[in-house]
Amino acid sequence: MKIRVGFGYDVHKLGVGEELWIGGIHVPHSKGSIGHSDGDVLIHAICDALLGAANMRDIGFHFPDTSDDYKGIDSKILLKRTIEIIRNKGFEIGNIDSTICLEKPKLKYLIPEMQSVLANVLSIDSEDIAIKATTTEKLGFVGTQEGIAAYATVLIQKD
């Protein structure tokens, strides 16, 4: 069995009047992610981690923000395509461990729904998707509520 680990990171600026999508769900808030797609930093970080683990470059290579094909696209579609890319190479997900960095709103009650949505898209058990949320103690662009960041580590395997 071949086992690989991948790491992903994404960041988006927050803006008034934008929608906030995290982990495939809409999060009610006065600010939202500014991005070419729907700006879902958690899904983007997971996509990068999966692609990196499979040595398939990164999300920008497969879904460039210079293409109108991806303007405003639901990031769950990008995740679905990403899992197809790695599965075509013979890999399956072992597990995902991720962290969302956001000062407000608090996400702890939304995490089970995010896990369920992502598990459905990826066709894996929600128990294989860890999502944590943290602040940056009011430091940096996350702390001043100018932006949002997410990190993801994945384990993929091939028989």
Side-chain angles (χ1 to χ4, degrees), residues 68-94:
D68 286 340
D69 292 342
Y70 307 112
K71 180 73 178 152
I73 195 168
D74 181 335
S75 291
K76 292 186 296 292
I77 295 169
L78 303 181
L79 184 58
K80 187 76 164 170
R81 291 181 186 169
T82 298
I83 195 64
E84 289 169 1
I85 290 167
I86 73 157
R87 284 186 174 140
N88 284 340
K89 213 172 167 183
F91 288 103
E92 288 295 331
I93 296 173

PDB file of all heavy atoms in Angstrom, residues 68-94:
ATOM      1  N   ASP A  68     -13.189  32.227 -16.821  1.00  0.00           N
ATOM      2  CA  ASP A  68     -14.593  32.533 -16.531  1.00  0.00           C
ATOM      3  C   ASP A  68     -15.393  31.286 -16.177  1.00  0.00           C
ATOM      4  O   ASP A  68     -16.472  31.387 -15.596  1.00  0.00           O
ATOM      5  CB  ASP A  68     -15.245  33.243 -17.721  1.00  0.00           C
ATOM      6  CG  ASP A  68     -14.773  34.694 -17.847  1.00  0.00           C
ATOM      7  OD1 ASP A  68     -14.276  35.241 -16.838  1.00  0.00           O
ATOM      8  OD2 ASP A  68     -14.892  35.256 -18.945  1.00  0.00           O
ATOM      9  N   ASP A  69     -14.868  30.097 -16.520  1.00  0.00           N
ATOM     10  CA  ASP A  69     -15.554  28.847 -16.186  1.00  0.00           C
ATOM     11  C   ASP A  69     -15.744  28.688 -14.678  1.00  0.00           C
ATOM     12  O   ASP A  69     -16.643  27.973 -14.244  1.00  0.00           O
ATOM     13  CB  ASP A  69     -14.772  27.638 -16.698  1.00  0.00           C
ATOM     14  CG  ASP A  69     -14.743  27.548 -18.208  1.00  0.00           C
ATOM     15  OD1 ASP A  69     -15.579  28.192 -18.875  1.00  0.00           O
ATOM     16  OD2 ASP A  69     -13.864  26.824 -18.725  1.00  0.00           O
ATOM     17  N   TYR A  70     -14.871  29.318 -13.900  1.00  0.00           N
ATOM     18  CA  TYR A  70     -14.903  29.134 -12.455  1.00  0.00           C
ATOM     19  C   TYR A  70     -15.383  30.377 -11.709  1.00  0.00           C
ATOM     20  O   TYR A  70     -15.394  30.388 -10.484  1.00  0.00           O
ATOM     21  CB  TYR A  70     -13.528  28.696 -11.957  1.00  0.00           C
ATOM     22  CG  TYR A  70     -13.051  27.485 -12.715  1.00  0.00           C
ATOM     23  CD1 TYR A  70     -11.962  27.561 -13.577  1.00  0.00           C
ATOM     24  CD2 TYR A  70     -13.732  26.278 -12.633  1.00  0.00           C
ATOM     25  CE1 TYR A  70     -11.552  26.453 -14.308  1.00  0.00           C
ATOM     26  CE2 TYR A  70     -13.337  25.171 -13.365  1.00  0.00           C
ATOM     27  CZ  TYR A  70     -12.243  25.267 -14.197  1.00  0.00           C
ATOM     28  OH  TYR A  70     -11.857  24.181 -14.920  1.00  0.00           O
ATOM     29  N   LYS A  71     -15.796  31.408 -12.437  1.00  0.00           N
ATOM     30  CA  LYS A  71     -16.280  32.639 -11.807  1.00  0.00           C
ATOM     31  C   LYS A  71     -17.559  32.343 -11.023  1.00  0.00           C
ATOM     32  O   LYS A  71     -18.545  31.868 -11.568  1.00  0.00           O
ATOM     33  CB  LYS A  71     -16.547  33.709 -12.871  1.00  0.00           C
ATOM     34  CG  LYS A  71     -17.039  35.019 -12.309  1.00  0.00           C
ATOM     35  CD  LYS A  71     -15.927  35.763 -11.620  1.00  0.00           C
ATOM     36  CE  LYS A  71     -16.447  37.109 -11.101  1.00  0.00           C
ATOM     37  NZ  LYS A  71     -15.722  37.548  -9.949  1.00  0.00           N
ATOM     38  N   GLY A  72     -17.507  32.558  -9.712  1.00  0.00           N
ATOM     39  CA  GLY A  72     -18.664  32.358  -8.851  1.00  0.00           C
ATOM     40  C   GLY A  72     -19.052  30.909  -8.620  1.00  0.00           C
ATOM     41  O   GLY A  72     -20.085  30.633  -8.022  1.00  0.00           O
ATOM     42  N   ILE A  73     -18.220  29.960  -9.049  1.00  0.00           N
ATOM     43  CA  ILE A  73     -18.564  28.534  -8.939  1.00  0.00           C
ATOM     44  C   ILE A  73     -18.648  28.087  -7.483  1.00  0.00           C
ATOM     45  O   ILE A  73     -17.919  28.572  -6.614  1.00  0.00           O
ATOM     46  CB  ILE A  73     -17.548  27.669  -9.725  1.00  0.00           C
ATOM     47  CG1 ILE A  73     -18.085  26.246  -9.939  1.00  0.00           C
ATOM     48  CG2 ILE A  73     -16.189  27.659  -9.049  1.00  0.00           C
ATOM     49  CD1 ILE A  73     -17.282  25.425 -10.942  1.00  0.00           C
ATOM     50  N   ASP A  74     -19.551  27.181  -7.234  1.00  0.00           N
ATOM     51  CA  ASP A  74     -19.688  26.536  -5.930  1.00  0.00           C
ATOM     52  C   ASP A  74     -18.441  25.673  -5.716  1.00  0.00           C
ATOM     53  O   ASP A  74     -18.145  24.782  -6.518  1.00  0.00           O
ATOM     54  CB  ASP A  74     -20.958  25.678  -5.949  1.00  0.00           C
ATOM     55  CG  ASP A  74     -21.252  24.970  -4.650  1.00  0.00           C
ATOM     56  OD1 ASP A  74     -20.326  24.715  -3.863  1.00  0.00           O
ATOM     57  OD2 ASP A  74     -22.434  24.632  -4.442  1.00  0.00           O
ATOM     58  N   SER A  75     -17.709  25.918  -4.652  1.00  0.00           N
ATOM     59  CA  SER A  75     -16.464  25.179  -4.407  1.00  0.00           C
ATOM     60  C   SER A  75     -16.685  23.693  -4.192  1.00  0.00           C
ATOM     61  O   SER A  75     -15.747  22.900  -4.356  1.00  0.00           O
ATOM     62  CB  SER A  75     -15.711  25.790  -3.219  1.00  0.00           C
ATOM     63  OG  SER A  75     -15.213  27.060  -3.575  1.00  0.00           O
ATOM     64  N   LYS A  76     -17.903  23.284  -3.844  1.00  0.00           N
ATOM     65  CA  LYS A  76     -18.177  21.845  -3.730  1.00  0.00           C
ATOM     66  C   LYS A  76     -17.982  21.162  -5.088  1.00  0.00           C
ATOM     67  O   LYS A  76     -17.565  20.001  -5.136  1.00  0.00           O
ATOM     68  CB  LYS A  76     -19.586  21.602  -3.193  1.00  0.00           C
ATOM     69  CG  LYS A  76     -19.764  22.031  -1.734  1.00  0.00           C
ATOM     70  CD  LYS A  76     -21.110  21.670  -1.147  1.00  0.00           C
ATOM     71  CE  LYS A  76     -22.302  22.332  -1.764  1.00  0.00           C
ATOM     72  NZ  LYS A  76     -22.402  23.779  -1.535  1.00  0.00           N
ATOM     73  N   ILE A  77     -18.237  21.882  -6.170  1.00  0.00           N
ATOM     74  CA  ILE A  77     -17.999  21.329  -7.516  1.00  0.00           C
ATOM     75  C   ILE A  77     -16.506  21.140  -7.731  1.00  0.00           C
ATOM     76  O   ILE A  77     -16.074  20.119  -8.274  1.00  0.00           O
ATOM     77  CB  ILE A  77     -18.619  22.245  -8.597  1.00  0.00           C
ATOM     78  CG1 ILE A  77     -20.140  22.273  -8.456  1.00  0.00           C
ATOM     79  CG2 ILE A  77     -18.189  21.815  -9.994  1.00  0.00           C
ATOM     80  CD1 ILE A  77     -20.834  23.343  -9.293  1.00  0.00           C
ATOM     81  N   LEU A  78     -15.706  22.098  -7.294  1.00  0.00           N
ATOM     82  CA  LEU A  78     -14.244  21.971  -7.420  1.00  0.00           C
ATOM     83  C   LEU A  78     -13.734  20.794  -6.597  1.00  0.00           C
ATOM     84  O   LEU A  78     -12.856  20.050  -7.040  1.00  0.00           O
ATOM     85  CB  LEU A  78     -13.557  23.264  -6.979  1.00  0.00           C
ATOM     86  CG  LEU A  78     -13.962  24.542  -7.699  1.00  0.00           C
ATOM     87  CD1 LEU A  78     -13.174  25.730  -7.155  1.00  0.00           C
ATOM     88  CD2 LEU A  78     -13.795  24.418  -9.204  1.00  0.00           C
ATOM     89  N   LEU A  79     -14.298  20.613  -5.402  1.00  0.00           N
ATOM     90  CA  LEU A  79     -13.897  19.487  -4.555  1.00  0.00           C
ATOM     91  C   LEU A  79     -14.276  18.167  -5.201  1.00  0.00           C
ATOM     92  O   LEU A  79     -13.494  17.208  -5.185  1.00  0.00           O
ATOM     93  CB  LEU A  79     -14.527  19.620  -3.167  1.00  0.00           C
ATOM     94  CG  LEU A  79     -14.136  18.566  -2.137  1.00  0.00           C
ATOM     95  CD1 LEU A  79     -12.626  18.542  -1.905  1.00  0.00           C
ATOM     96  CD2 LEU A  79     -14.882  18.826  -0.824  1.00  0.00           C
ATOM     97  N   LYS A  80     -15.459  18.108  -5.776  1.00  0.00           N
ATOM     98  CA  LYS A  80     -15.911  16.886  -6.466  1.00  0.00           C
ATOM     99  C   LYS A  80     -14.967  16.548  -7.613  1.00  0.00           C
ATOM    100  O   LYS A  80     -14.574  15.396  -7.798  1.00  0.00           O
ATOM    101  CB  LYS A  80     -17.346  17.089  -6.961  1.00  0.00           C
ATOM    102  CG  LYS A  80     -17.970  15.857  -7.544  1.00  0.00           C
ATOM    103  CD  LYS A  80     -18.386  14.913  -6.447  1.00  0.00           C
ATOM    104  CE  LYS A  80     -19.342  13.871  -6.967  1.00  0.00           C
ATOM    105  NZ  LYS A  80     -19.556  12.823  -5.987  1.00  0.00           N
ATOM    106  N   ARG A  81     -14.583  17.556  -8.383  1.00  0.00           N
ATOM    107  CA  ARG A  81     -13.646  17.337  -9.498  1.00  0.00           C
ATOM    108  C   ARG A  81     -12.261  16.943  -8.990  1.00  0.00           C
ATOM    109  O   ARG A  81     -11.580  16.120  -9.597  1.00  0.00           O
ATOM    110  CB  ARG A  81     -13.570  18.575 -10.380  1.00  0.00           C
ATOM    111  CG  ARG A  81     -14.862  18.820 -11.142  1.00  0.00           C
ATOM    112  CD  ARG A  81     -14.766  20.025 -12.034  1.00  0.00           C
ATOM    113  NE  ARG A  81     -16.063  20.315 -12.638  1.00  0.00           N
ATOM    114  CZ  ARG A  81     -16.348  21.419 -13.294  1.00  0.00           C
ATOM    115  NH1 ARG A  81     -15.414  22.352 -13.457  1.00  0.00           N
ATOM    116  NH2 ARG A  81     -17.536  21.609 -13.809  1.00  0.00           N
ATOM    117  N   THR A  82     -11.853  17.530  -7.870  1.00  0.00           N
ATOM    118  CA  THR A  82     -10.548  17.192  -7.288  1.00  0.00           C
ATOM    119  C   THR A  82     -10.506  15.737  -6.851  1.00  0.00           C
ATOM    120  O   THR A  82      -9.531  15.030  -7.125  1.00  0.00           O
ATOM    121  CB  THR A  82     -10.237  18.124  -6.097  1.00  0.00           C
ATOM    122  OG1 THR A  82     -10.171  19.467  -6.568  1.00  0.00           O
ATOM    123  CG2 THR A  82      -8.935  17.742  -5.421  1.00  0.00           C
ATOM    124  N   ILE A  83     -11.548  15.263  -6.202  1.00  0.00           N
ATOM    125  CA  ILE A  83     -11.553  13.868  -5.748  1.00  0.00           C
ATOM    126  C   ILE A  83     -11.567  12.931  -6.956  1.00  0.00           C
ATOM    127  O   ILE A  83     -10.938  11.866  -6.938  1.00  0.00           O
ATOM    128  CB  ILE A  83     -12.696  13.580  -4.749  1.00  0.00           C
ATOM    129  CG1 ILE A  83     -12.468  12.256  -4.002  1.00  0.00           C
ATOM    130  CG2 ILE A  83     -14.044  13.573  -5.391  1.00  0.00           C
ATOM    131  CD1 ILE A  83     -11.252  12.226  -3.128  1.00  0.00           C
ATOM    132  N   GLU A  84     -12.226  13.329  -8.039  1.00  0.00           N
ATOM    133  CA  GLU A  84     -12.200  12.527  -9.271  1.00  0.00           C
ATOM    134  C   GLU A  84     -10.780  12.456  -9.832  1.00  0.00           C
ATOM    135  O   GLU A  84     -10.345  11.396 -10.287  1.00  0.00           O
ATOM    136  CB  GLU A  84     -13.154  13.117 -10.307  1.00  0.00           C
ATOM    137  CG  GLU A  84     -14.615  12.927  -9.963  1.00  0.00           C
ATOM    138  CD  GLU A  84     -15.568  13.750 -10.850  1.00  0.00           C
ATOM    139  OE1 GLU A  84     -15.093  14.466 -11.768  1.00  0.00           O
ATOM    140  OE2 GLU A  84     -16.789  13.676 -10.592  1.00  0.00           O
ATOM    141  N   ILE A  85     -10.053  13.567  -9.779  1.00  0.00           N
ATOM    142  CA  ILE A  85      -8.671  13.609 -10.284  1.00  0.00           C
ATOM    143  C   ILE A  85      -7.793  12.640  -9.507  1.00  0.00           C
ATOM    144  O   ILE A  85      -7.051  11.860 -10.099  1.00  0.00           O
ATOM    145  CB  ILE A  85      -8.104  15.044 -10.195  1.00  0.00           C
ATOM    146  CG1 ILE A  85      -8.790  15.947 -11.226  1.00  0.00           C
ATOM    147  CG2 ILE A  85      -6.593  15.053 -10.392  1.00  0.00           C
ATOM    148  CD1 ILE A  85      -8.540  17.441 -11.014  1.00  0.00           C
ATOM    149  N   ILE A  86      -7.889  12.663  -8.169  1.00  0.00           N
ATOM    150  CA  ILE A  86      -7.002  11.769  -7.414  1.00  0.00           C
ATOM    151  C   ILE A  86      -7.473  10.317  -7.486  1.00  0.00           C
ATOM    152  O   ILE A  86      -6.655   9.405  -7.470  1.00  0.00           O
ATOM    153  CB  ILE A  86      -6.764  12.248  -5.966  1.00  0.00           C
ATOM    154  CG1 ILE A  86      -7.966  12.041  -5.080  1.00  0.00           C
ATOM    155  CG2 ILE A  86      -6.268  13.672  -5.916  1.00  0.00           C
ATOM    156  CD1 ILE A  86      -7.624  11.964  -3.608  1.00  0.00           C
ATOM    157  N   ARG A  87      -8.768  10.110  -7.580  1.00  0.00           N
ATOM    158  CA  ARG A  87      -9.268   8.734  -7.714  1.00  0.00           C
ATOM    159  C   ARG A  87      -8.875   8.133  -9.067  1.00  0.00           C
ATOM    160  O   ARG A  87      -8.621   6.938  -9.157  1.00  0.00           O
ATOM    161  CB  ARG A  87     -10.781   8.679  -7.498  1.00  0.00           C
ATOM    162  CG  ARG A  87     -11.137   8.786  -6.022  1.00  0.00           C
ATOM    163  CD  ARG A  87     -12.604   8.587  -5.731  1.00  0.00           C
ATOM    164  NE  ARG A  87     -12.814   8.560  -4.283  1.00  0.00           N
ATOM    165  CZ  ARG A  87     -13.835   9.119  -3.663  1.00  0.00           C
ATOM    166  NH1 ARG A  87     -14.783   9.735  -4.349  1.00  0.00           N
ATOM    167  NH2 ARG A  87     -13.939   9.052  -2.351  1.00  0.00           N
ATOM    168  N   ASN A  88      -8.809   8.964 -10.102  1.00  0.00           N
ATOM    169  CA  ASN A  88      -8.344   8.488 -11.415  1.00  0.00           C
ATOM    170  C   ASN A  88      -6.891   8.045 -11.363  1.00  0.00           C
ATOM    171  O   ASN A  88      -6.444   7.275 -12.198  1.00  0.00           O
ATOM    172  CB  ASN A  88      -8.528   9.568 -12.487  1.00  0.00           C
ATOM    173  CG  ASN A  88      -9.973   9.704 -12.921  1.00  0.00           C
ATOM    174  OD1 ASN A  88     -10.782   8.799 -12.735  1.00  0.00           O
ATOM    175  ND2 ASN A  88     -10.306  10.861 -13.479  1.00  0.00           N
ATOM    176  N   LYS A  89      -6.166   8.511 -10.387  1.00  0.00           N
ATOM    177  CA  LYS A  89      -4.776   8.110 -10.174  1.00  0.00           C
ATOM    178  C   LYS A  89      -4.681   6.933  -9.198  1.00  0.00           C
ATOM    179  O   LYS A  89      -3.599   6.486  -8.856  1.00  0.00           O
ATOM    180  CB  LYS A  89      -3.978   9.309  -9.660  1.00  0.00           C
ATOM    181  CG  LYS A  89      -2.554   9.331 -10.117  1.00  0.00           C
ATOM    182  CD  LYS A  89      -1.861  10.614  -9.765  1.00  0.00           C
ATOM    183  CE  LYS A  89      -0.364  10.403  -9.976  1.00  0.00           C
ATOM    184  NZ  LYS A  89       0.432  11.563  -9.592  1.00  0.00           N
ATOM    185  N   GLY A  90      -5.850   6.454  -8.718  1.00  0.00           N
ATOM    186  CA  GLY A  90      -5.882   5.275  -7.858  1.00  0.00           C
ATOM    187  C   GLY A  90      -5.875   5.555  -6.370  1.00  0.00           C
ATOM    188  O   GLY A  90      -5.770   4.625  -5.566  1.00  0.00           O
ATOM    189  N   PHE A  91      -5.992   6.828  -5.972  1.00  0.00           N
ATOM    190  CA  PHE A  91      -5.928   7.180  -4.552  1.00  0.00           C
ATOM    191  C   PHE A  91      -7.315   7.311  -3.931  1.00  0.00           C
ATOM    192  O   PHE A  91      -8.268   7.698  -4.584  1.00  0.00           O
ATOM    193  CB  PHE A  91      -5.187   8.510  -4.358  1.00  0.00           C
ATOM    194  CG  PHE A  91      -3.708   8.409  -4.583  1.00  0.00           C
ATOM    195  CD1 PHE A  91      -3.139   8.874  -5.757  1.00  0.00           C
ATOM    196  CD2 PHE A  91      -2.887   7.836  -3.623  1.00  0.00           C
ATOM    197  CE1 PHE A  91      -1.775   8.790  -5.970  1.00  0.00           C
ATOM    198  CE2 PHE A  91      -1.518   7.735  -3.828  1.00  0.00           C
ATOM    199  CZ  PHE A  91      -0.964   8.223  -5.006  1.00  0.00           C
ATOM    200  N   GLU A  92      -7.381   6.989  -2.651  1.00  0.00           N
ATOM    201  CA  GLU A  92      -8.569   7.203  -1.829  1.00  0.00           C
ATOM    202  C   GLU A  92      -8.148   7.991  -0.590  1.00  0.00           C
ATOM    203  O   GLU A  92      -7.000   7.905  -0.148  1.00  0.00           O
ATOM    204  CB  GLU A  92      -9.199   5.874  -1.402  1.00  0.00           C
ATOM    205  CG  GLU A  92      -9.897   5.141  -2.517  1.00  0.00           C
ATOM    206  CD  GLU A  92     -11.121   5.878  -3.061  1.00  0.00           C
ATOM    207  OE1 GLU A  92     -11.774   6.629  -2.299  1.00  0.00           O
ATOM    208  OE2 GLU A  92     -11.423   5.693  -4.244  1.00  0.00           O
ATOM    209  N   ILE A  93      -9.089   8.712  -0.006  1.00  0.00           N
ATOM    210  CA  ILE A  93      -8.806   9.498   1.192  1.00  0.00           C
ATOM    211  C   ILE A  93      -8.768   8.585   2.421  1.00  0.00           C
ATOM    212  O   ILE A  93      -9.663   7.772   2.610  1.00  0.00           O
ATOM    213  CB  ILE A  93      -9.884  10.578   1.398  1.00  0.00           C
ATOM    214  CG1 ILE A  93      -9.856  11.574   0.244  1.00  0.00           C
ATOM    215  CG2 ILE A  93      -9.687  11.293   2.739  1.00  0.00           C
ATOM    216  CD1 ILE A  93     -10.990  12.586   0.283  1.00  0.00           C
ATOM    217  N   GLY A  94      -7.730   8.755   3.219  1.00  0.00           N
ATOM    218  CA  GLY A  94      -7.669   8.105   4.522  1.00  0.00           C
ATOM    219  C   GLY A  94      -8.360   8.989   5.540  1.00  0.00           C
ATOM    220  O   GLY A  94      -9.293   8.571   6.210  1.00  0.00           O
TER     221      GLY A  94
END
